[in-house]
């Protein structure tokens, strides 16, 4: 049937008959995710104008998986309590196409992606298992798989931050599994992905989560990303990770929907980085000039690219959360640890971005990044008013490579993994120790072909979980089976990992944040704590 309506459908079978009234033919869009899909239209800044007209959009129908038992016509009452990003996007799209839209809202506050995935997709990501996996999928998604849908708006990720190494695999796996279960191939069913807004975390964990979302958009066909990174709202009474200023995001999603679903030739994204060149010129014996020339993909997204003024940091956030627009990473030839420093000046010249700063002479350039903070300072916008996404030139691998590492507790410099009794390594319980006078030991990590590996100590012993998986000791390799470890990048700045043991059901190497507290294996809890995230600084290859 062509899009339109309302129609009446009459069904007859012998002496039985039934009539369905006020039926529309059009597109059904699933809006799924966490707290920002759950965020209602009535709380959005500037939404009153649209809510007052809600009754004019009877051809935008609403179904809330947790509240309604029927499709509801748009009205001020129903629209005010519906997913804001979903309803407002549909209304703006309908205004241009006049094609009826049915919206299915599936939102559950504070949920991790694993809960949205079918059981068949979990094994796609190293067999990782979460204690509440599949719950939302089984309850909300599976029952509507026979309902034909046209696209998905996905807005989730806050509860997965700190596990970026897993998320960058899990999100593409989720997209592919939903497409498969709905009967689509991997290049169909348009997927509109919202990149996380600005809010505070620890150690730029939100920035890495945004990058994992970008990787999904880059690597999975027919997925487009629409950032809300520049739409922070630290004073939101509903928490800083639920901003009220959603209308700019709605405009971006509307443009994406009109392009992806309805074939309109529109610019839907900001300019993207295509490459860069680095020039370092000595100035004195102590300083050098470092210039990075950044190129952008030559298409409509780069048209009208400008640099906007840096917006002041929201007083609800600290300066560290806001960061600076551009930074570079330098490694010192003297052996001092590498660090990120702000870029001195930046400008656009003939469509290229020029980053110019003065650096110490005895340094080597490592990387550069843009808008890499919890509340990013975004300054690059194209002629369509769309921002360039946060960028980093050397994002760490999700899975650690083989080599020697110095493993330390994330919050206490110099505190590492050691024995309860110094010198008593074999069979002894491991703990968090102050290695004063002994130095941090280097641990050898040998990654296997399946990304799981063994973690060994220079004494020749191997990190091993005991039989009930509640303790960790060092034992000889012979007869030990619980040596299957994965070092997975957390996304919390540089060289920070969680250590998972596969054979213990994906439990994480943990400590209760105290010297002398035994290192054990704990279930991967709902929140990332400092106790199961370790600094694992790469020292050398095996």
């Amino acid at each position: 049937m062509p899009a339109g309506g309302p129609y009446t459908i009459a069904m007859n079978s012998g002496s039985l008959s039934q009539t369905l009234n006020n039926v529309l033919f059009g597109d059904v869009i699933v809006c799924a995710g966490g707290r920002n899909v759950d965020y209602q239209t009535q709380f959005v800044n500037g939404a009153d104008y649209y809510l007052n007209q809600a009754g004019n959009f009877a051809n935008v129908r609403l179904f809330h998986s947790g509240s309604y038992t029927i499709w509801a016509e748009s009205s001020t009452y129903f629209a005010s309590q519906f997913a804001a990003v979903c309803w407002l996007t549909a209304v703006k799209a309908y205004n241009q196409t006049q094609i009826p839209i049915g919206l299915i809202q599936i939102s559950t506050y504070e949920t991790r992606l694993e809960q949205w995935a079918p059981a068949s997709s979990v094994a796609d990501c190293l067999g990782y298992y979460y204690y509440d996996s599949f719950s939302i999928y089984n309850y909300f998604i599976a029952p509507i798989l026979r309902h034909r849908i046209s696209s998905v708006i996905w807005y989730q990720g806050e509860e997965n931050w700190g596990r970026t190494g897993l998320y960058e695999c899990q999100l593409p796996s989720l997209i592919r599994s939903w497409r498969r279960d709905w009967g689509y191939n991997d290049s169909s069913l348009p997927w509109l992905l919202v990149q996380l807004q600005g809010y505070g975390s620890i150690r730029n964990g939100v920035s890495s989560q945004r990058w994992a979302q970008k990787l999904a958009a880059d690597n999975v066909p027919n997925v487009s990303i629409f950032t809300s990174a520049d739409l922070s709202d630290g004073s939101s009474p509903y928490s800083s990770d639920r901003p009220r200023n959603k209308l700019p995001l709605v405009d971006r999603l509307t443009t994406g929907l009109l392009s992806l679903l309805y074939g309109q030739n529109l610019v839907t994204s900001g300019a993207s980085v295509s490459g860069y060149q680095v020039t370092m010129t000595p100035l004195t014996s102590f300083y050098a000039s470092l210039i990075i020339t950044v190129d952008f993909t030559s298409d409509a997204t780069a048209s009208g690219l400008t640099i906007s003024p840096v917006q002041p940091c929201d007083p609800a956030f600290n300066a560290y959360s806001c960061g600076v627009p551009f930074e570079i990473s330098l490694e010192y030839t003297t052996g001092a640890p590498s660090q990120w420093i702000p870029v001195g000046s930046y400008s656009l010249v003939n469509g290229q971005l020029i980053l110019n700063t003065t650096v110490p002479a005895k340094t080597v350039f490592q990387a550069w990044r843009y808008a890499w903070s919890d509340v990013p300072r975004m300054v690059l916008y194209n002629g369509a008013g769309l921002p360039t996404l946060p960028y980093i030139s050397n994002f760490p691998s999700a899975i650690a490579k083989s080599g020697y590492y110095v493993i330390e507790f994330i919050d206490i410099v110099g505190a590492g993994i050691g024995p309860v009794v110094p010198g008593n390594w074999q069979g002894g319980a491991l703990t968090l120790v102050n290695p004063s006078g002994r130095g941090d030991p280097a641990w050898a990590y040998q990654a296997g072909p399946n990304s799981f590996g063994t973690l060994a100590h220079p004494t020749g012993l191997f990190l091993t979980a005991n039989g009930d998986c509640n303790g960790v000791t060092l034992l000889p390799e012979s007869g030990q089976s619980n040596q299957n470890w994965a070092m997975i990048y957390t996304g919390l700045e540089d060289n920070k990992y969680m250590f998972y043991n596969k054979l213990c059901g994906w439990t994480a190497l943990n400590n209760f944040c105290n010297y002398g507290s035994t290192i054990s294996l704990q279930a991967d809890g709902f929140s990332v704590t400092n106790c199961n995230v370790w600094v694992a600084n790469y020292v050398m290859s095996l």
Side-chain angles (χ1 to χ4, degrees):
M1 294 290 292
Y7 295 99
T8 297
I9 299 178
M11 294 165 285
N12 298 284
S13 177
S15 60
L16 301 176
S17 65
Q18 185 172 354
T19 300
L20 301 178
N21 297 307
N22 196 17
V23 177
L24 299 177
F25 286 86
D27 290 304
V28 175
I29 300 171
V30 170
C31 303
R35 63 189 71 192
N36 278 286
V37 175
D38 196 52
Y39 192 89
Q40 298 176 354
T41 308
Q42 61 182 316
F43 302 127
V44 171
N45 289 344
D48 288 349
Y49 170 80
Y50 300 96
L51 287 174
N52 290 336
Q53 301 183 59
N56 297 330
F57 300 103
N59 285 357
V60 176
R61 302 288 171 88
L62 313 176
F63 185 89
H64 192 299
S65 58
S67 302
Y68 309 163
T69 57
I70 61 171
W71 288 95
E73 293 185 1
S74 281
S75 66
T76 299
Y77 172 76
F78 283 115
S80 67
Q81 300 177 65
F82 203 75
V85 293
C86 192
W87 182 76
L88 290 166
T89 297
V91 163
K92 284 175 170 277
Y94 176 80
N95 267 341
Q96 295 202 39
T97 67
Q98 298 300 299
I99 294 176
I101 296 178
L103 302 173
I104 299 177
Q105 177 182 342
I106 307 171
S107 57
T108 305
Y109 192 77
E110 293 186 348
T111 54
R112 280 171 57 173
L113 181 140
E114 296 92 315
Q115 298 168 269
W116 293 84
S120 59
S121 74
V122 172
D124 294 344
C125 299
L126 302 177
Y128 173 78
Y129 177 80
Y130 175 59
Y131 68 89
D132 198 21
S133 290
F134 336 129
S135 58
I136 296 175
Y137 180 86
N138 290 339
Y139 193 77
F140 290 119
I141 305 301
I144 63 171
L145 287 176
R146 289 180 293 177
H147 201 311
R148 191 68 172 171
I149 65 173
S150 299
S151 64
V152 174
I153 296 176
W154 176 257
Y155 195 166
Q156 186 275 343
E158 296 90 343
E159 298 303 327
N160 283 85
W161 77 269
R163 297 171 180 85
T164 296
L166 285 171
Y167 197 82
E168 69 176 74
C169 169
Q170 291 170 328
L171 181 53
S173 178
L174 175 84
I175 295 170
R176 293 187 172 104
S177 66
W178 279 25
R179 285 175 170 169
R180 179 197 66 225
D181 292 355
W182 249 293
Y184 289 93
N185 62 42
D186 194 37
S187 61
S188 56
L189 187 64
W191 196 285
L192 285 70
L193 171 62
V194 179
Q195 191 180 47
L196 291 180
Q197 64 285 337
Y199 68 96
S201 69
I202 60 171
R203 301 176 180 86
N204 288 329
V206 182
S207 301
S208 296
Q209 192 71 349
R210 292 190 193 104
W211 188 257
Q213 293 174 312
K214 179 183 180 298
L215 292 177
D218 289 344
N219 298 320
V220 182
N222 208 13
V223 174
S224 290
I225 190 168
F226 304 89
T227 191
S228 61
D230 56 339
L231 305 176
S232 60
D233 182 10
S235 301
S236 171
Y238 314 105
S239 76
S240 64
D241 58 356
R242 303 178 85 193
R244 295 164 290 183
N245 54 332
K246 291 201 166 24
L247 286 179
L249 173 61
V250 165
D251 289 338
R252 296 168 188 175
L253 286 168
T254 302
T255 302
L257 197 64
L258 292 171
S259 177
L260 294 172
L261 186 57
Y262 298 110
Q264 296 188 18
N265 186 21
L266 302 172
V267 176
T268 61
S269 64
S272 58
V273 174
S274 62
Y276 64 93
Q277 303 84 43
V278 179
T279 303
M280 193 167 179
T281 305
L283 297 175
T284 68
S285 57
F286 298 102
Y287 295 103
S289 170
L290 179 66
I291 297 176
I292 304 172
T293 304
V294 181
D295 298 308
F296 298 92
T297 301
S298 298
D299 58 16
T301 65
S303 177
L305 185 63
T306 60
I307 293 180
S308 300
V310 179
Q311 297 300 310
C313 184
D314 187 326
F317 300 108
N318 59 44
Y320 175 79
S321 293
C322 292
V324 297
F326 299 98
E327 298 170 284
I328 58 171
S329 176
L330 300 172
E331 184 176 40
Y332 289 82
T333 57
T334 58
S338 60
Q339 60 177 316
W340 290 95
I341 65 171
V343 168
S345 66
Y346 50 88
S347 60
L348 283 171
V349 179
N350 297 325
Q352 292 179 308
L353 174 66
I354 309 298
L355 307 178
N356 193 339
T357 196
T358 300
V359 300
K362 294 183 179 181
T363 56
V364 178
F365 169 81
Q366 295 293 303
W368 72 278
R369 63 190 185 186
Y370 163 65
W372 202 264
S373 55
D374 287 343
V375 186
R377 315 299 284 275
M378 300 175 72
V379 296
L380 293 173
Y381 289 82
N382 64 11
L386 297 172
T388 291
L389 299 183
Y391 176 87
I392 190 168
S393 65
N394 70 333
F395 193 68
S397 171
I399 308 297
K401 60 184 177 181
S402 297
Y404 289 96
Y405 291 81
V406 173
I407 300 172
E408 296 178 326
F409 189 55
I410 192 170
D411 271 350
I412 308 176
V413 176
I417 297 177
V420 173
V421 180
N424 182 23
W425 291 92
Q426 183 168 336
L430 297 184
T431 185
L432 182 68
V433 299
N434 186 342
S436 176
R438 290 178 291 157
D440 290 341
W443 297 76
Y445 175 70
Q446 180 69 61
N450 60 354
S451 299
F452 297 100
T454 55
L455 198 63
H457 188 265
T459 57
L461 304 174
F462 293 83
L463 193 69
T464 306
N466 64 8
D468 57 7
C469 291
N470 63 7
V472 178
T473 59
L474 281 172
L475 294 172
E477 184 173 21
S478 176
Q480 300 303 317
S481 59
N482 288 337
Q483 294 178 14
N484 285 268
W485 300 92
M487 290 173 61
I488 297 182
Y489 180 54
T490 63
L492 307 184
E493 288 188 339
D494 299 329
N495 300 318
K496 293 177 174 62
Y497 294 87
M498 289 180 73
F499 294 80
Y500 287 99
N501 185 279
K502 176 186 180 184
L503 298 182
C504 290
W506 277 89
T507 49
L509 192 67
N510 209 343
N511 178 275
F512 294 105
C513 309
N514 298 309
Y515 287 122
S517 177
T518 301
I519 290 173
S520 60
L521 282 164
Q522 302 288 325
D524 183 0
F526 200 78
S527 300
V528 173
T529 67
N530 295 348
C531 308
N532 55 17
V533 178
W534 302 84
V535 178
N537 289 310
Y538 181 76
V539 180
M540 66 186 77
S541 61
L542 286 170

